[in-house]
Amino acid sequence: MLALTHCLKNEDNEVFILSVNTPKHHFDLKNLPADILSIARWEAVDIDTSIRPFAAFLNLFTNQSYHIQRFYSKEFEEKLIELLEKEIVDIIQMESLFVTPYINTIRRHTKAKLVYRAHNIEYKIWERIIAGMKGGLKKQYLKIQTQRLKKYEWNVINKIDAIVSITPEDKEAFIEMGCKIPVHITPIGINTIDFNLPEHHNRYPVLFHLGTMNWLPNLEAVEWFLKEVWNTLHQKYPALKFYIGGRGMPQYLSRSNTPGLYVFDEVDNAKRWMNEKDIMIVPVLSGSGMRVKIIEGMALGKTIISTTIGAEGIAYTHLKNIVIADTPEEFIKMIDLCISDPELCKTIGRNAKELVVNNYNNKRIGEELNSFYHQTLINSITQ
């Protein structure tokens, strides 16, 4: 979201951000760095989106999605109304499905065009998660909630004026869902110049995974890799090291004494941390949208070994600019290949960097989104 804000600002747009400030990702506006504060005007409203067992149970007796219901706040709605009555805006870009409950409020207080920037197809994430779960009450509850989320997501897409999708796969999914409005693909991008760090290669390859661990698909991915791949791999290569880093690390992983595993609850400098290692492991089994960490790893010239789901949305070529593996056997085979052929790793890394520079550069992404907004939405206001 911050990267896209930079893009819009660089195209001479004035940007105002009203943020849902949750316990999970809480921040203090006063402590934001000056360079971030300078790109937009900021407001935030604290909303407690914590999962509460009793509220989750009572939700069963409604027809609402608990995933969505947790993000509605009267205080946020009041702040939104206050801003809409003061500001004249052309476009309101809703970041993620979880702020779409305010569509009707927005419509009542402004004629601005509404854009839904879809980070994922949300219900598909939960369908994939449920598919990998054992039976029980939790699975049954999540099935009910996933069906409600799907119904909500299908209903919301034609209540807005345009969708900004992150991946071509998500755009096709919206069309299949009956979407009748314009859909523009805006992939996750980065400022590639920020990733021009000196090349770093260890004498013996070092594996790593970096991602927020309180996002369920990341936790699921790491647990699967440790259980299905790592033990066999470490027995074969006793000197091999696997580093895991990310906010929200569960204590049982932080305290793990698994041989060869090194766990970091927080990573102070993600770019430097990644750059000091060689092979990024992305064993994502569920999820939707696009993994920004893959783009960042590619920009650093790293070899990425990912599942097909993990690499969704990226215009990759297997064994040219990324390595794809979907089973334990394939992960072991591909890691074998990378360890035995360091030159192949370097070539894949160089090709990955080239792919990002050509396709996921924020400057080009910002220009294309700005053009879409002006041609498709703003011009229709003035005509």
Side-chain angles (χ1 to χ4, degrees), residues 199-204 275-278 301-302 342 345-346 350:
E199 281 194 22
H200 182 104
H201 295 285
N202 294 290
R203 194 179 299 179
Y204 195 80
N275 198 48
E276 291 170 348
K277 298 159 186 66
D278 304 287
K302 300 300 164 185
C345 274
K346 291 179 183 178
R350 284 193 292 268

Side-chain angles (χ1 to χ4, degrees), residues 4 7-8 93 115 117 164 184 186 364-374:
L4 199 61
C7 290
L8 293 169
Q93 180 174 294
V115 176
R117 184 172 181 243
V164 173
H184 178 76
T186 296
R364 184 177 68 84
I365 288 170
E367 289 171 352
E368 292 178 355
L369 179 60
N370 195 59
S371 176
F372 170 74
Y373 277 172
H374 277 270

Side-chain angles (χ1 to χ4, degrees), residues 288-304:
S288 175
M290 191 172 166
R291 257 54 58 189
V292 67
K293 283 294 178 283
I294 291 184
I295 298 299
E296 293 177 349
M298 285 180 153
L300 291 168
K302 300 300 164 185
T303 301
I304 318 291

Side-chain angles (χ1 to χ4, degrees), residues 66-83:
Y66 188 56
H67 293 290
I68 302 297
Q69 188 183 49
R70 291 186 296 120
F71 284 83
Y72 175 75
S73 156
K74 187 66 177 175
E75 291 77 15
F76 186 88
E77 185 176 50
E78 288 171 354
K79 173 58 72 173
L80 181 59
I81 293 169
E82 176 189 325
L83 292 173

Side-chain angles (χ1 to χ4, degrees), residues 1-2 4 93-100 115-123 125 153 163-167 169-171 174 186-188 215 287-292 312-313:
M1 288 188 279
L2 186 61
L4 199 61
Q93 180 174 294
M94 295 177 290
E95 290 283 336
S96 89
L97 190 67
F98 302 106
V99 290
T100 58
V115 176
Y116 165 40
R117 184 172 181 243
H119 297 181
N120 309 282
I121 306 294
E122 293 293 338
Y123 80 85
I125 296 176
E153 202 161 0
I163 293 175
V164 173
S165 168
I166 288 177
T167 70
E169 291 88 346
D170 285 355
K171 178 178 179 178
F174 283 123
T186 296
I188 291 172
W215 190 54
S288 175
M290 191 172 166
R291 257 54 58 189
V292 67
E312 275 184 358

